[in-house]
Amino acid sequence: MNLGRSYKIAVREARGLLWSTGGGLIVGTFWAATGLIFTLNLFQFERGIRLAAQQASKLQSGPAGVHINDWVVSQTFDLTGGVLFIFFIPLLTMRAFAEERRTGNLELLMSQPLAGSELLIGKLAGSVLALVSCLSIFLVYGVVLGIVSTPDWTATLVGALGLVLLGILFTSIGTLLSVLTRSPIEAAVLTLGILLLIVTGPAMMSNGPEWVRGMAEFLSVEGRFRDFSHGVFDLSHVAFFLGSSLLLWAASLRGLDIVRWQG
Amino acid sequence: MNRQTRLFPFFVLAAFLFLTGGFLRTLAGGSAYLPNLFFLAGVVVLVLTLVVAAGALRAVLLRVREVAEPGPSLLWALGGAILCVGAGILAMEPIRYDLTERKIHEVSPTSKQLLQGIDQDVQMIATFRDDHPARLQVESILDAYRAVSGRIQTLRIDPDREPDKARELSIQTANTITIRSQGLEEIVDAVREPDITQAILRLVDPERPVVGFTVDHGEASHARASWNKLSGRLRDAGFQLRQLTSRDLTEPLANVRIVVVAGPTSEFLPGEVESLERFLGSGGRLAAFLDPEVETGLEPLFAQQGIFCDGRLVRDDSRLTRAVQLGPDAVAVSPQGLADHEVTRLLPAGVVLRGAQQVGLVPRPVFGTSGTEILRSEPRAKLLDPETGEAIGEPAARPLGVALEWEVTGTAEPRGDRPAEKPYARVVVVGDSDFLRDDMIDLFGNSVFMTRVFGWLGERQYLIQFPAIGPSGTPLKVGRNGLLAVFYVVQVALPLLAYGIGFLLWTRRR
């Protein structure tokens, strides 16, 4: 496997996604949405501090328990991963293969001396790169957090790691569905549906019998991500995110075989 | 394959039916019929779709096997499966790290230290419904306790969904944690670490030190209605309570660990004082809460160890005391007035007394004693003349309580398997007893202070260390204008920049 070729595809893919009118719209809207969440939480934090100061008396010896990580960092991560990703990741992955198939470019690509795995890794990496570019706004938020308060940086970095792992998993799902469909819209709608199902499904299964609840807990992407966003590093979660992403990559590669067979 | 593509909407329909069913079940509860109908419809759609697609899927998979190019998919699938199985195994034996500075997701070092050495099996059964708001917190705390000691087994049950199991486990109350060990049981109704840890420790260590409340001198007794909270909390803290009559005081107080003298209104007889002196001389512990303007007869006993009880009422008209709005006799002790002593260190809030006298240490300590003035009023406090009621003396920070210990001769007897405790006598004297009453014990740090006093006297370390100060906060270093600037930058300027670049690219391409 030649990763150099994958790298070229990834860069081309990411540039195609971001360096375009559509890319500007996607990134701008993502930044506006995360910005809204971030600033709303920041104002809530300010209100929380004010209320705590009003309620506290001089008899209290400890500082009021209003921590910026609880009020801003975790909340922003939770809403970005649990809500925004569901709507934005389909937009980033829908074109990966479905658009190529629609325009007939995929046949051309398949006829090149390029292994399916190289193509898949390139496309996946391109989508993840585009996602990371969207998430680069969090660096600005980090600077803002450092200016306005004294956040717990380790917990913040754990949350960011969780966001990236969740992003990789969701991107893998989007890519698989893009491989399996002929139109980007179809891919986007299916990805949206599946992501909604993944995020909300386990919570809905919590009323079932013991084994169903156990399965729901195991599959609960949101529950696993919430641990990261609250500063908990759990090896089980890392294994789950990476393992399920790998399984999806394998399925996508088999999906490419189906496409090749179809011609 | 086109057939598969056409079948996708049916998969989506099945998913939609499952989701709607789940949503309705969340709203209506597990016994409603409509959600089950949706689930059934979802299953029917899914099964029919799979039946229709089965032949085509099989053909596709067989064909794919024939035409598939060699690649790493098998390796990826194997790696993914191994990692997923690993995730399942790790979920049973979690390897978790709480990387927050405040360590808010794990059991505190105090609990860890206290629980790691337990040598009895402990069962914790949390009885919380699945939709209870505290369910996740409860599960998290159960995980944390299980990780502390292999002796602790945890279980959560939903009493509505699993009534038979609840009955089998003899669970009587919902929304509580039942802790069992050695045939004993404690029920904790607040999901708070100190309560849970203390309940476990009480169960694994059935020894209950006796706290004796003296009576017959007009004292407040734990049996009186206005002291219910005090007695309840002492029992929760693992003490047995009993009354000590004048007759009891004339006999050796062999089984009593701590003697409490709370608000006597008449003098102790010399024989009783001698008995208390002997008790202290054998390493006993004494807590005295003495109101002003009352001769108790205990003053010479305390004076021997360097403690003076002034007897005059302390009048504190500082802004802080006025702010607590408990009348002119109130005295508020701010965190600055708390000494760096085991009893008062890291108290989450100050202490408020009502009608307190000055109790302090003489300037030259008695040889062999180690004492601390643990409570001190604000700097503007004065003393009231008992005759005229006039404030006299210079404004000053008045000592209101002391904690004193000294080594006694001889060695204490070992208790059971435990080595003998340090042969130290300990005394805490506070110039007020009203703060222990039901109407005041919950004010500010009073309750915690009381618990710590008894923890120190009874050498119950977990009572001294709990509760620690709550999770600390972070400051906000900018004002509202600063936040507005942040809003304009991240909410307006940066998204507009991205939109602008997109627009620029669009115009260029045109």
Side-chain angles (χ1 to χ4, degrees), chain A residues 96-182:
Chain A
F97 287 94
E99 176 76 1
E100 306 279 17
R101 279 181 85 180
R102 195 178 64 82
T103 55
N105 283 345
L106 194 62
E107 285 173 22
L108 209 64
L109 271 171
M110 294 290 203
S111 63
Q112 300 295 313
L114 184 70
S117 52
E118 290 166 4
L119 179 63
L120 181 73
I121 288 177
K123 290 280 188 184
L124 257 168
S127 301
V128 172
L129 220 67
L131 179 68
V132 169
S133 306
C134 287
L135 290 175
S136 63
I137 191 72
F138 278 81
L139 292 176
V140 178
Y141 299 161
V143 173
V144 171
L145 287 174
I147 292 168
V148 302
S149 191
T150 49
D152 179 349
W153 290 114
T154 319
T156 308
L157 286 175
V158 172
L161 171 71
L163 207 58
V164 171
L165 286 172
L166 184 74
I168 291 173
L169 176 63
F170 283 6
T171 309
S172 306
I173 293 168
T175 307
L176 171 65
L177 291 166
S178 183
V179 167
L180 293 175
T181 50
R182 283 179 181 276

Side-chain angles (χ1 to χ4, degrees), chain B residues 271-311:
Chain B
E272 294 170 335
V273 178
E274 275 173 29
S275 176
L276 286 176
E277 197 176 342
R278 279 197 303 276
F279 173 67
L280 289 173
S282 65
R285 311 295 160 95
L286 175 65
F289 305 100
L290 308 177
D291 293 317
E293 299 170 6
V294 176
E295 289 284 331
T296 61
L298 297 173
E299 290 82 3
L301 173 68
F302 295 139
Q304 280 176 31
Q305 309 303 333
I307 299 171
F308 73 87
C309 303
D310 183 83

